[in-house]
Amino acid sequence: MKKLLSLILGGAIVASSAIAFEQKETVGLVVAGGKPITLLGKQLYTGYDAPNFDVVDERFNKISLTDFKGLTVLISAVPSLDTGVCSLQTKRFNEEVGNLPENVVVLTISADLPFAQKRFCNTEGVEALKVFSDSVWHDFGEKYGLIIKDMGLLSRSIFVINGRGKIVYKELVPDISNHPDYDKALRAAKESAQSDLPI
């Protein structure tokens, strides 16, 4: 029995090592402080099917992309809500929610712990959009190619996913210290929502 258990555990360790070894790395798409950073995970592009992912809310309840099936989903990914640009980005999208069609949902995702996210939202009055944490499984960051190697944070980016689950807009902000193009992202979300409405 002990021998069998050691074989199973040994196999699991080898499998886990193989998965870590095969994790995709991308260099040259994003810089931080003028230096290129390495992103972990698979890069996605417009026209791709949006992979389902699991994140958690402020109570550590699991939330999945499939929970928003049939809606246009605008995802604003930020490194940390406790930094200047990330804070402004989140507050800007929070202000814009009321100007978007009803079939659009706006998500902010970061690797901050849910406790920190809740504190930020309460302090800054962020109530119109949904804020989720990728800190538990890093599932979103890995599937969307956004994990900053050796930091575990998400690279600044915007995705718009239509009601049929296709990525219709993506911006991976080239310099992590810069803002995304808010107008383009919001326009893409509005156009996607309009095209998803029944004729």
Side-chain angles (χ1 to χ4, degrees), residues 27-174:
V27 184
L29 295 180
V30 179
V31 299
K35 297 179 180 179
I37 59 175
T38 299
L39 299 180
L40 303 178
K42 181 180 178 182
Q43 290 301 310
L44 302 175
Y45 301 95
T46 56
Y48 279 35
D49 290 329
N52 189 36
F53 59 81
D54 296 325
V55 288
V56 294
D57 65 12
E58 65 178 38
R59 296 173 183 251
F60 284 87
N61 295 314
K62 186 173 79 169
I63 306 294
S64 303
L65 178 61
T66 52
D67 294 333
F68 307 103
K69 187 175 181 180
L71 299 174
T72 287
V73 181
L74 188 157
I75 300 173
S76 168
V78 298
S80 175
L81 294 174
D82 285 321
T83 60
V85 177
C86 298
S87 173
L88 291 171
Q89 179 175 330
T90 302
K91 289 189 281 188
R92 170 67 187 273
F93 280 118
N94 186 66
E95 292 168 1
E96 294 287 354
V97 169
N99 300 322
L100 294 170
E102 290 185 4
N103 59 328
V104 176
V105 62
V106 181
L107 317 180
T108 285
I109 302 178
S110 75
D112 297 305
L113 289 172
F115 313 113
Q117 292 182 335
K118 183 178 181 179
R119 174 184 48 75
F120 171 85
C121 291
N122 289 341
T123 301
E124 300 295 340
V126 173
E127 299 175 343
L129 53 74
K130 300 179 185 298
V131 179
F132 298 128
S133 173
D134 197 36
S135 64
V136 177
W137 305 291
H138 303 289
D139 191 45
F140 169 71
E142 183 176 351
K143 289 179 177 175
Y144 284 67
L146 300 177
I147 300 174
I148 301 172
K149 188 177 182 180
D150 299 326
M151 293 182 71
L153 301 177
L154 300 177
S155 193
R156 191 180 313 284
S157 56
I158 307 291
F159 289 86
V160 176
I161 301 164
N162 69 17
R164 296 177 297 282
K166 295 280 188 185
I167 298 171
V168 295
Y169 178 85
K170 173 188 176 180
E171 181 187 8
L172 183 61
V173 180

